[in-house]
Each structure stands twice: as C-alpha cells, then as structure tokens.
Amino acid sequence: MFPNRNIADNSFVSMTKSASAIVVENTLTPFNLVNAIIIGLMTAAYLSTNDQRLVWDSLGVVTVVISNTTLAIIQEMRAHRALEQASVLRPPKVRLRRDDRELDCTPNELVLGDRVVISRGDIIPADGTVESSQGAELDTSLLTGESDPQHITINDKVYAGTSCVAGSLVMRVVATGVDTQAAHIEDLSRRVDLRPSPLQRRVNALFTGSFVIAIFLATADLALEGSGALTNVDSIRRVATLVLGMIPEGLVFFSTITLVTGIIRIARKGVAVQKLAAMEGLASASVVCFDKTGTLTTNELEIAAILPVADIPADECQHLLSSIAHAIADEGRMADAFRAAAKPDTSFVAAEVIPFSSSRKYSACRIPEGGWWTIGALEVVLSPEHSSWRGIQESIVAAGLDNLRLVVVASSDSDRPIGSDVLPLFIVALSDRIRHDASETLSMFADIGMKRVILSGDAEPPVRRTLSQLGVPEDPSLQVHARCTPVDKREIIKGLGSREIVVMIGDGINDLPAIKEADVGIAMPESSPATKLAADIVLEEASFADFPAMIAEGRRAIRIVMAVAVLFMSKNLVLIALNALTALAQMPYYLSPRRGALLSLVGVALPSLLLATRATMTSVTRDFFAELIGKVFLTAAEMIVAYVLVQTLFAGHPEVSSLLVMTLIASLLGRFVVIDTMDRQERSRLAVISIIILAIVALLMVLPTTIPIVAIVQMYYEIGGAGWELLPALAASAMIGLLSAVPWVFLRREQPRATR
C-alpha cells in the first residue's frame, strides 16, 4: 500500500494547516482520479459481461485507494508534528529600549514606537526609521537582490529581513508582523522548506513519464479492441493491471519519508534542517569549506602579546587599545578582547567612526581635535609599501609572533585612516582556543573522501599554526585560502561549485555570502541571526564534530532513495514489457489487478519500508541517474528472463500464474538483498527477512482452503488453491527468481566499497 501523495508538495511544513486541509489534499489527487476512472471502466465492463472477477478487482482498487489515502494523511500529520518539534529554530532575540530600560524580547513582542538596538550580525526585526547610526551598513539582498551593503544614516527607512553587516544603529519601529514589507521573512526562518529537491523533481518526472507511457499503451490496447473493448474482460484486466501498477506514487512517498527521517535523526543531535534539499546536497557533497574561527577554534579570543613599534610603553598601549575599542563600539569577539585589555579613558570621544567590516578589514575613529586612530590588518592599514613594513615584519619574527593573528594600531593626522601616511604604534597578537574535536573531525572528512578548504580572513601563518597545533599533516586534499574577504569566499565557493558539490560551514556575518552561494550552507551554534537565516542547516546544540555524521546521514538517505527507485522502476518496466509481449507477440498474460497489487505489496513496498527505516548505506552517489537507469534496465531484463524461463518450464501447469507471481516477487527480493553496499551482517539480515517473506507467500499459496483467512487471501489475490503438491514447483520458481539477482554480486559497482 502506497500513499498517493508526496508531502513535499507543501512548500513548508507547518501545523498551521488544518487537519481538514490535509485530508482534502491527500484525497483529491490525480492518481485517485485515475483510480476512480479505472473503477468506472471495470464497473461498466461488469454490467456488460456480468464477470464476477471485475467486481473483486474493483473492490480491490477501492481498498487500496482507501488504505493509501489514510496512510498518506497519517504520515503527513506525523511529519508535521516531528518537524515542528525537532527542526524549528529558536526565535532570535531583539534588544530594545523601552521606558528608559534595555531589555530582550522576540520579534513578535515588538510594538509600534519601540526603539530597537541593532548591532553587527543582527536581522532587522521590523520596518522602522533610523534614529542614530554608527557607521551602520545593511545587507538588503534578501529583499532587493542588491549584493553591496547599503550605508545607513539618520532618518533612513530600514525593513524587516535585512541584516546589519557593519556598525550599529537604533531604529524606531513603524510596522510589525504582516504589515512589514517582508512579512514572510521571519516565517521562512522558522519553518522547514519541504519543497521537492532537484533529485526528487527528476524522479517525479521520470515516474510521471513512465505513467504517461502506460496510459498511452492502455489507450492503444483499448483502441485495438474497438467496439468490443467493454466485453473483453481479459483485455480490460490487463490494461487495469498495467495502469494501476504504473501509478508513480510509491517512490515519491518513500523518498520524502526517507529524507524527512534523515532530518529528524540529525535533529536529535541538535541540528535544525531548514530545507529538504539540503539532505540531498549533503549526500552528494565532495568539498567542505569552513572558516578557522568558530570551527577549528572556539569563538573566544584573548590578547597573547602586545609589541610596541613606536616609543610607547606596553601598559599605555593596553590603555590606548581599550579606549579606541570603546570609542569605535564595534561588536564581536575581537572588539571584546580589545575592550578588556585595560580600563578605558572615559574622556576619549569619537567625532567620527568607521566600524569594522570583513571587506574593509579595519575600523577607525576620529577625535574632535583631528586625526585618526585605526585598528586593522597590517597589509591593509600599512601595506607592504609602507616605510616601516620591513622593520615591523622583522620585529614580529624576532618576537615569535609570526604565527599568531596580528593587527596593528596606528594613528594618522591626514584625512585617511590607512595608507603610507599612518604611524604604526604597536602590534596586537591574538590567540584562539582550539576545539578539542577539530582534529578528529578533519580526519573524518578525509576518511569519507571529502576535499577540505579553509577560507579564513586571517593571514596564512596563524591558520597554519592552528593546523599544526591540531596535528593535521600536509595533505593535497586540504587547501588554505588566507586573508579572504566575504566576496573572496563567495567567489571561491562559486568556482568550486562549477565542478563540485560544496558545503560551506560558517558562523560570522563575513561567511554569509559564501553560505548563500554554497550548495549547502551550514551555520554554527554561535552564528549571527542573519547567518542562521541564510543557512540551509543550523547547528543549535551540535558541534563541529557532528558534521561527518550529518554527511553520512545524507548519503544514507540518497542511497536508500536509489535502492527504492530500482525496485519501483524495475517492476514498472517489467509490467510494460509483459504488456507489450502480450499485445505484439500474443504471449499469454498471467497477471491481474489483484496479483499486481500482491507483487507491489510484497516485492516492492515491504522491502522499501525496510530500506527506508533500517538500512545504513553511506557510499557517495556521483551520478544518480546514470546509476539508476543502468540498474533498472539490468534488473528488469533479469526478471523478464526468469519470468519467461518459468513460463516455459511450467507451461500447461494449472497454477502457472501463481508460479509466475512467485518468480517476480523472488526476483525483486533477491535484488533487494544485493541492492547496495552494506556490511555483511546487514546483508545477511535482509536475506533472512526475504526468505521469511517468500516462505509466508508460499504457505498462503499451498495451505488448504479450509482455513478461512487462507481461503480469503487465495481468492482475493487469485493465487494457490492446488494444495501441498504445488510446493516443489513454487520452490523451483522462487529459486529461479532469486538466482536472477546473482549476476549483481559479481559486478564491481555492487561489491562493498569504501565509504568514499
């Protein structure tokens, strides 16, 4: 029994949909309409022929339709509940000033007139008017598509859904909720996008195409019968068997359930998956990109050393650093470390501020008396052409600081805070805390065959130092790109994405463009709200060490979809071939709507359910459709050979139809056992289950009709009834079906492969 509707037809899973809407959507489907037409044709044929088989066939179709629809409704409701509980992001906090107090709230608690404080990395929670701005810049790409940050000044309008990438501002709320220009933005950030992935859409198209072929063949078959179409019961039953068997509903259901199950499994690790297609991307990914900070290291920075390069004592350097950092009032871990260096000078007031941004790589403030104080990367603030460059580099090496993260503090009396005219005062060396699990995680990425690319805003020496501390050896599969701006990261991802499937892991606002560009964007737990909004997957409680397991889960999901697709498509191709042989070669046709239902239930649905819920296949899928089509055609050919062989060996046998059904079921179960790369223990377990299923089917065929339930099953599915003397022929037919899958064991693609 297969649900006849894909829950991925909904754009987003949300329990705001009523139960009645779910019932209606799962009942009024195109496939149920086709079933209704088939029932109508068989009813009309019964009225013309009075053949009781058509009544039972119609009743069987009705039973399957009711079962399918009921199961689809139940599964969709369960998916709603599971995903609402497991995969919904916590709402971001909003800092506001109300009645001369600062407090935190959620966006839903905002009211008109509230004054909201927005810092770097925050999402604008409502529409508003800017009351004050300290060098604020907004990324408005979610609304306008504009990629360059927009400078914000007093009285500018700002809109919900945009994000602050530099500086800070205070805004007064003028519209909230559904009244904002981007009312859907917050909603999208809190729902799971269940639109079909590219893989699902192509599978759906493949099945729809096969169904169209079946309708064409059925129409041609009925046309050849002419005016006698409604009186030729065998022809009507053959056409009904073909059309019912080809309805493309099972794989759609199982592929969605498999991917949703994968989402729920990794959600138990504290991971929120916001797009169903992200599971597919994880499965096919061959490159993983990540920043150093927040992934290899924690988000905690501390000042390791201060190196004066001018005539200033070290303690005064600390005091000056803290005062400048307080005056600029940047947000972030580096700014926090600077402010904690010493007690600031409370009289230090900035007349103008240039806040830090990842593209600038520096921040600065100008005092009322004139002149600038600047904190930033050496090569940006000074540049290698600066007269002090060589001397500073030699001092850094002599002090043993060349492998640390370095920034320079400089002053300038000119109109520019950077350049050849600035005076370098001292160098600040910062150190990161290493994540204890980072080394093992990097090794696991290598073990599953993924290229590793570090995209860091730091200079290369501190990145290499971190890798050395982790004990990571030099490896061609590990690349380092240093001093990357957000645009650099995005362009590197774009270049890799032209030939690879790329995962980007980040946490800061500087990683936002790269996360958007990647096939799968992943945000760390400490990520800014804007980064979490843009990501496909968000780690709420999980760690960097959980990534390999997440990728393995994605690979498992796609391999299961592949395995289930092979069973469904092979069965469908066999039905088309047998119908063509009957119509063109006048070969006897032994299937019927009810026998076809038994074949689908036992040979496809049960194995698919076991695969979707139990199997653990983690080999990577490089070309899904090339592999799928190859397996389907070979499997179908083997099944047809086994079918023709049994039909020839047992020609004239009174129960040849039962024997052929047994052969097809055994062929599918044999293929099920060797369907993909699994360990020996799991394959043995599937083999035992398959033998048990075949034994149960055989017993139902040979047990005497004096047992009421057996008699009902035999009559309904039109099988058995000959007694125990049928058992040897059934065993032979089952063995022929099972042996049809043996060639797969010797094909290289089916041998156990490394997970890479």
Side-chain angles (χ1 to χ4, degrees):
M1 295 179 295
F2 311 129
N4 49 20
R5 185 174 177 278
N6 182 2
I7 63 173
D9 290 342
N10 301 317
S11 293
F12 302 95
V13 162
S14 171
M15 286 311 294
T16 55
K17 183 190 291 185
S18 66
S20 60
I22 294 175
V23 171
V24 170
E25 289 181 2
N26 281 280
T27 302
L28 302 179
T29 67
F31 300 124
N32 278 353
L33 176 61
V34 172
N35 285 323
I37 293 173
I38 293 173
I39 292 171
L41 291 174
M42 288 193 292
T43 301
Y46 167 72
L47 295 176
S48 300
T49 63
N50 203 32
D51 191 315
Q52 295 294 321
R53 292 178 299 172
L54 294 170
V55 175
W56 285 103
D57 288 341
S58 299
L59 181 61
V61 175
V62 170
T63 303
V64 170
V65 168
I66 293 174
S67 301
N68 289 349
T69 303
T70 302
L71 186 55
I73 292 169
I74 293 172
Q75 290 291 353
E76 181 167 353
M77 289 183 174
R78 285 180 176 176
H80 276 257
R81 288 195 297 270
L83 289 172
E84 285 286 325
Q85 294 170 4
S87 300
V88 175
L89 287 176
R90 299 179 185 129
K93 290 294 183 181
V94 176
R95 194 161 29 125
L96 71 151
R97 295 172 184 168
R98 187 185 289 170
D99 299 328
D100 297 324
R101 292 183 302 140
E102 284 205 3
L103 57 132
D104 291 335
C105 70
T106 64
N108 292 334
E109 296 172 323
L110 290 175
V111 297
L112 299 183
D114 274 341
R115 299 172 68 229
V116 181
V117 180
I118 302 296
S119 302
R120 182 170 177 261
D122 289 344
I123 300 172
I124 305 296
D127 291 355
T129 302
V130 176
E131 291 191 341
S132 65
S133 171
Q134 283 202 318
E137 297 177 13
L138 297 188
D139 176 1
T140 62
S141 58
L142 283 175
L143 291 181
T144 66
E146 174 63 49
S147 58
D148 294 330
Q150 306 298 303
H151 292 278
I152 300 299
T153 58
I154 296 174
N155 294 325
D156 280 350
K157 300 290 185 181
V158 293
Y159 300 101
T162 58
S163 54
C164 183
V165 295
S168 62
L169 61 90
V170 176
M171 57 169 278
R172 184 174 294 278
V173 175
V174 298
T176 63
V178 296
D179 296 325
T180 65
Q181 288 201 11
H184 67 290
I185 291 293
E186 182 193 348
D187 200 32
L188 294 185
S189 71
R190 301 182 59 182
R191 292 186 180 181
V192 182
D193 185 347
L194 281 187
R195 285 174 292 191
S197 68
L199 171 62
Q200 285 182 294
R201 287 195 293 269
R202 292 168 71 186
V203 170
N204 292 352
L206 190 63
F207 263 76
T208 302
S210 66
F211 183 64
V212 170
I213 292 173
I215 295 293
F216 173 78
L217 292 175
T219 304
D221 222 342
L222 292 175
L224 290 175
E225 292 292 332
S227 58
L230 291 180
T231 58
N232 189 335
V233 175
D234 290 334
S235 178
I236 291 174
R237 300 186 81 211
R238 186 177 76 248
V239 169
T241 302
L242 175 65
V243 175
L244 290 172
M246 295 293 291
I247 290 179
E249 55 199 15
L251 178 60
V252 174
F253 165 71
F254 279 113
S255 63
T256 302
I257 289 301
T258 298
L259 294 175
V260 169
T261 300
I263 290 176
I264 294 171
R265 283 162 66 111
I266 65 174
R268 292 174 185 149
K269 297 179 179 290
V271 179
V273 179
Q274 303 189 104
K275 291 183 180 179
L276 188 65
M279 294 298 294
E280 180 184 330
L282 281 179
S284 306
S286 53
V287 180
V288 57
C289 301
F290 45 88
D291 193 3
K292 174 178 72 72
T293 305
T295 51
L296 302 183
T297 65
T298 66
N299 284 305
E300 299 176 9
L301 289 176
E302 56 186 6
I303 296 176
I306 291 181
L307 176 65
V309 293
D311 190 17
I312 303 178
D315 57 343
E316 290 188 21
C317 292
Q318 292 179 341
H319 182 82
L320 180 59
L321 175 65
S322 178
S323 298
I324 296 172
H326 274 88
I328 295 174
D330 262 332
E331 297 286 339
R333 297 175 297 275
M334 188 181 296
D336 291 341
F338 293 160
R339 284 191 286 266
K343 185 176 181 180
D345 184 351
T346 55
S347 64
F348 194 103
V349 178
E352 183 180 349
V353 168
I354 299 177
F356 178 83
S357 75
S358 300
S359 56
R360 276 192 293 267
K361 294 190 177 301
Y362 75 88
S363 57
C365 65
R366 186 171 58 81
I367 58 176
E369 293 81 8
W372 290 92
W373 299 99
T374 306
I375 305 175
L378 275 75
E379 63 270 27
V380 175
V381 177
L382 303 181
S383 81
E385 289 73 33
H386 194 281
S387 58
S388 302
W389 180 263
R390 177 174 295 183
I392 289 175
Q393 294 298 320
E394 292 174 351
S395 298
I396 290 171
V397 173
L401 304 179
D402 49 316
N403 285 329
L404 293 174
R405 180 190 294 193
L406 302 174
V407 298
V408 63
V409 178
S411 65
S412 172
D413 292 329
S414 68
D415 293 334
R416 298 181 66 243
I418 62 174
S420 58
D421 295 333
V422 302
L423 173 65
L425 303 176
F426 53 91
I427 306 298
V428 182
L430 295 156
S431 61
D432 303 285
R433 289 190 180 180
I434 305 295
R435 288 189 184 273
H436 68 279
D437 53 9
S439 178
E440 182 182 357
T441 305
L442 286 175
S443 297
M444 287 193 293
F445 278 130
D447 291 341
I448 61 178
M450 297 191 72
K451 299 176 185 176
R452 299 157 295 170
V453 180
I454 299 177
L455 306 176
S456 179
D458 294 344
E460 186 166 346
V463 179
R464 294 291 181 186
R465 177 177 180 269
T466 299
L467 293 174
S468 177
Q469 289 178 304
L470 290 170
V472 178
E474 293 288 336
D475 189 328
S477 69
L478 177 60
Q479 302 176 17
V480 174
H481 295 271
R483 285 304 185 199
C484 292
T485 67
V487 174
D488 293 334
K489 293 182 180 182
R490 183 185 64 198
E491 292 304 310
I492 292 171
I493 294 284
K494 184 182 293 186
L496 291 169
S498 64
R499 57 188 185 276
E500 308 267 12
I501 304 298
V502 183
V503 173
M504 174 64 195
I505 304 168
D507 67 331
I509 196 71
N510 57 316
D511 298 318
L512 186 58
I515 283 176
K516 290 180 181 179
E517 184 66 37
D519 297 286
V520 182
I522 302 177
M524 295 291 287
E526 303 86 358
S527 299
S528 65
T531 305
K532 289 184 177 181
L533 174 64
D536 303 308
I537 298 174
V538 178
L539 274 65
E540 290 283 38
E541 298 173 359
S543 67
F544 185 54
D546 291 313
F547 282 114
M550 291 165 51
I551 290 171
E553 187 62 48
R555 290 183 176 181
R556 170 191 175 274
I558 297 305
R559 295 309 300 179
I560 290 174
V561 172
M562 167 75 73
V564 173
V566 169
L567 294 178
F568 274 98
M569 289 297 296
S570 298
K571 183 260 296 180
N572 286 5
L573 192 56
V574 167
L575 290 178
I576 291 176
L578 293 180
N579 189 76
L581 288 172
T582 300
L584 301 176
Q586 300 301 308
M587 191 179 86
Y589 192 80
Y590 293 101
L591 294 179
S592 68
R594 285 172 278 157
R595 291 178 189 138
L598 179 64
L599 174 64
S600 295
L601 174 63
V602 180
V604 178
L606 287 180
S608 298
L609 190 59
L610 288 169
L611 287 169
T613 56
R614 313 285 270 170
T616 55
M617 304 169 288
T618 57
S619 56
V620 66
T621 304
R622 297 300 183 193
D623 192 333
F624 184 93
F625 275 90
E627 187 177 342
L628 172 64
I629 292 172
K631 288 183 175 182
V632 166
F633 274 95
L634 285 174
T635 302
E638 292 164 357
M639 291 176 66
I640 292 170
V641 168
Y643 182 96
V644 173
L645 181 58
V646 170
Q647 182 179 344
T648 303
L649 291 175
F650 295 97
H653 194 289
E655 288 296 330
V656 66
S657 59
S658 297
L659 299 179
L660 291 171
V661 169
M662 174 63 81
T663 301
L664 293 176
I665 290 174
S667 295
L668 288 168
L669 291 177
R671 187 69 185 93
F672 160 63
V673 172
V674 295
I675 203 152
D676 214 297
T677 54
M678 291 176 282
D679 61 45
R680 183 174 300 175
Q681 182 178 2
E682 188 165 27
R683 196 180 299 280
S684 299
R685 179 172 59 84
L686 295 181
V688 170
I689 292 173
S690 298
I691 292 172
I692 291 173
I693 292 173
L694 286 174
I696 292 173
V697 174
L699 281 175
L700 290 173
M701 290 184 177
V702 301
L703 285 173
T705 56
T706 53
I707 303 175
I709 186 65
V710 172
I712 292 173
V713 171
Q714 290 179 351
M715 183 270 297
Y716 180 78
Y717 286 116
E718 300 177 293
I719 56 173
W724 290 99
E725 59 269 25
L726 180 62
L727 191 57
L730 280 175
S733 301
M735 186 58 65
I736 292 172
L738 288 172
L739 290 176
S740 70
V742 168
W744 283 103
V745 179
F746 300 101
L747 293 178
R748 173 177 292 183
R749 79 187 77 181
E750 292 299 301
Q751 297 303 310
R753 295 174 289 182
T755 54
R756 70 181 63 192

